[in-house]
Amino acid sequence: MIIDNNQLLRFTTAGSVDDGKSTLIGRLLYDSKAIFEDQLESVTSISKRKGHENIDLALFTDGLRDERAQGITIDVAYRYFTTPKRKFIIADTPGHIQYTRNMVTGASTANVALILIDARHGIIEQTKRHAFIASLLQIPHIIVCINKMDLVDYSEKVYEDIRSHFEEFSSKLYVKDIRFIPISALDGDNVVNRSENMPWFQDAPLLHTLEHMHISSDINKIDARFPVQTVLRPQSKEFLDYRGYAGRVASGIFRPQDKVTILPSGFTSTIKSIDTIDESLQEAYAPMSVSITLEDDIDISRGDMIVKANNTPTPTQEFDAMICWLHTHTARPRAKYTILHTSNEQKAMIKEVIYKIDIDTYQREEDNKDLGMNDIARIKVRTTRPLMIDEYRDNRITGSFVLVDDSTHETVAAGMIL
């Protein structure tokens, strides 16, 4: 059996302000012919009004009016494009320190993180900050794009010095795959086409690297997890007695005749069919959205989880997690929040802040435990009922959650279960 998960690749950009993230994405879109004519006309017109000789490539992604005025990225801009080899979703995230939470949002589902470094400035605190967050979010692949090589005369020594420095500090992080590419996003060197200005760099340009990156093995195919989102009862003549449990496969592979357990009840059954709107399937795997029917009539509702009978997650009411605090208001000790975990929703509280992390030095702060916006900390969470969890490093879906403030209904934290 061959599972082709290589079609869609999600990647995020990260880097300090003015490192050229939006320009790089604009160059990728422009050179891969992924720009609509009306977009091209609009950006060309705006570029001329600003007095630019050439098209301002960053305008293809800087969609907010405030961003275009300031020339910075504030929100997470999602863009979709496709080449003959692969489909892509890009999350262009902000570089400012105060928008660290936006980077966490954009990077949470990414297969690849592009970390941009200005060749003139080398590695700065924001570089380390973004590398740490990429590691924290368990992004499997990092491509370090050393940008603006045209402004350092395409120097191989500058490239090698930055590469050596990055490898030195990133050795402390948990990242499986790190690659380096010297580029000029403005001029297009090593972005879509190989640079004639850097013959000393023999590896593939960025787009070729993204098109051929193997990501199938990044998905957990062992631990079968299916959080139920809703129960389908069509009540039509064609589907008179149909009872399907709909949702998205979080991980693993499900097939008809598989023995399964329903959590938290613990009841067991056998998969009768796996259906989509068009057809019945012989297997379903992440991240497919399907409806599963069972041989037995079991009371199952939203928030329950269907798993393989011989491989179940750990139901628990108390666990440790790393969180990024997303709100301007500080975390309230032992305050009640709503926790959203897969399709499950229930009450929870932060039982304890164990330590915060200074993500510029990677040091633990055990004295100051007040959580402010963008702080990253290890906490202990207590829930009213057991959650079916896996560790985040094993499963990014069943190992993650968000906390919502009950009084304001605002999301206050994103968490990764340890």
Side-chain angles (χ1 to χ4, degrees):
M1 177 206 64
I2 297 174
I3 296 177
D4 182 13
N5 290 304
N6 289 327
Q7 272 304 103
L8 177 65
L9 182 140
R10 299 172 185 265
F11 67 91
T12 184
T13 61
S16 188
V17 181
D18 296 330
D19 278 350
K21 298 182 300 300
S22 297
T23 302
L24 174 61
I25 301 308
R27 173 62 67 186
L28 273 173
L29 296 174
Y30 185 73
D31 283 3
S32 62
K33 308 295 190 292
I35 303 295
F36 292 114
E37 278 190 32
D38 59 337
Q39 288 178 300
L40 186 57
E41 289 173 5
S42 173
V43 168
T44 302
S45 174
I46 295 171
S47 299
K48 286 180 180 177
R49 285 205 306 270
K50 288 187 169 187
H52 299 311
E53 291 183 13
N54 300 310
I55 295 174
D56 185 350
L57 296 168
L59 295 179
F60 288 124
T61 54
D62 289 342
L64 299 181
R65 189 183 297 266
D66 286 345
E67 294 177 2
R68 289 188 170 180
Q70 299 177 49
I72 62 171
T73 303
I74 295 173
D75 206 347
V76 181
Y78 291 95
R79 293 292 181 271
Y80 171 89
F81 78 104
T82 184
T83 71
K85 298 272 181 21
R86 179 169 262 169
K87 299 173 184 175
F88 299 94
I89 295 177
I90 315 163
D92 181 24
T93 61
H96 285 70
I97 290 175
Q98 65 263 40
Y99 302 124
T100 299
R101 61 178 181 167
N102 299 60
M103 190 209 158
V104 171
T105 303
S108 59
T109 58
N111 306 104
V112 182
L114 303 187
I115 297 181
L116 268 75
I117 298 173
D118 189 324
R120 298 169 300 172
H121 305 143
I123 290 169
I124 59 176
E125 286 188 358
Q126 274 294 78
T127 310
K128 295 182 179 181
R129 177 183 294 264
H130 291 150
F132 177 83
I133 293 172
S135 169
L136 184 72
L137 293 171
Q138 300 282 304
I139 298 176
H141 311 277
I142 290 179
I143 300 176
V144 181
C145 296
I146 301 171
N147 192 23
K148 304 190 180 182
M149 290 296 294
D150 53 309
L151 300 181
V152 294
D153 296 325
Y154 305 102
S155 168
E156 183 178 5
K157 183 179 186 306
V158 170
Y159 165 76
E160 290 295 345
D161 287 348
I162 294 174
R163 173 174 179 154
S164 177
H165 187 189
F166 192 98
E167 287 177 333
E168 181 182 342
F169 83 81
S170 66
S171 63
K172 305 171 189 173
L173 306 176
Y174 181 75
V175 182
K176 302 174 187 174
D177 178 27
I178 302 179
R179 310 182 193 196
F180 299 84
I181 303 177
I183 67 170
S184 169
L186 190 63
D187 296 333
D189 293 270
N190 283 337
V191 178
V192 172
N193 302 307
R194 186 182 294 278
S195 171
E196 295 179 0
N197 296 307
M198 291 178 277
W200 45 264
F201 182 75
Q202 294 298 307
D203 290 337
L206 177 60
L207 183 60
H208 183 278
T209 303
L210 291 170
E211 285 180 328
H212 294 84
M213 183 165 282
H214 179 70
I215 60 170
S216 179
S217 58
D218 298 336
I219 297 175
N220 182 337
K221 302 189 186 79
I222 305 301
D223 305 313
R225 307 284 186 260
F226 184 79
V228 176
Q229 293 184 13
T230 189
V231 180
L232 301 180
R233 297 296 307 277
Q235 302 295 328
S236 64
K237 289 183 179 179
E238 187 180 357
F239 301 99
L240 191 60
D241 296 317
Y242 188 90
R243 180 191 292 268
Y245 308 104
R248 174 175 289 184
V249 181
S251 60
I253 303 170
F254 290 91
R255 300 182 180 90
Q257 303 308 310
D258 279 349
K259 304 292 183 184
V260 292
T261 299
I262 290 77
L263 297 176
S265 68
F267 288 116
T268 59
S269 187
T270 302
I271 293 179
K272 183 177 182 180
S273 69
I274 300 173
D275 306 312
T276 68
I277 195 168
D278 299 315
E279 59 181 341
S280 292
L281 305 175
Q282 290 307 304
E283 62 182 22
Y285 47 85
M288 294 172 64
S289 295
V290 297
S291 171
I292 292 178
T293 67
L294 301 178
E295 296 286 0
D296 303 285
D297 187 9
I298 299 174
D299 183 16
I300 300 174
S301 58
R302 177 181 173 86
D304 291 351
M305 188 178 291
I306 299 175
V307 302
K308 291 283 186 69
N310 59 351
N311 182 336
T312 61
T314 307
T316 182
Q317 287 180 259
E318 193 170 297
F319 54 86
D320 285 6
M322 297 296 297
I323 65 162
C324 179
W325 193 255
L326 307 177
H327 205 272
T328 51
H329 296 150
T330 58
R332 305 189 307 278
R334 304 188 75 81
K336 297 291 193 301
Y337 298 98
T338 294
I339 188 170
L340 307 180
H341 173 260
T342 63
S343 56
N344 201 334
E345 179 178 329
Q346 56 177 278
K347 300 302 178 188
M349 73 173 180
I350 298 176
K351 190 174 179 182
E352 178 188 359
V353 177
I354 302 171
Y355 57 78
K356 290 201 307 184
I357 290 183
D358 182 335
I359 56 176
D360 296 325
T361 64
Y362 306 157
Q363 299 298 311
R364 296 181 182 181
E365 296 179 4
E366 298 185 355
D367 297 328
N368 176 17
K369 297 183 179 180
D370 293 332
L371 293 182
M373 187 162 67
N374 295 323
D375 280 344
I376 290 177
R378 180 168 182 154
I379 65 169
K380 194 173 289 292
V381 179
R382 175 82 182 177
T383 60
T384 52
R385 299 188 308 277
L387 292 177
M388 284 68 73
I389 65 171
D390 294 292
E391 288 189 38
Y392 184 80
R393 66 182 180 185
D394 296 329
N395 193 322
R396 291 169 75 181
I397 305 297
T398 57
S400 61
F401 63 90
V402 296
L403 295 178
V404 177
D405 189 300
D406 286 345
S407 57
T408 64
H409 305 292
E410 293 179 302
T411 300
V412 296
M416 292 133 280
I417 297 167
L418 302 175

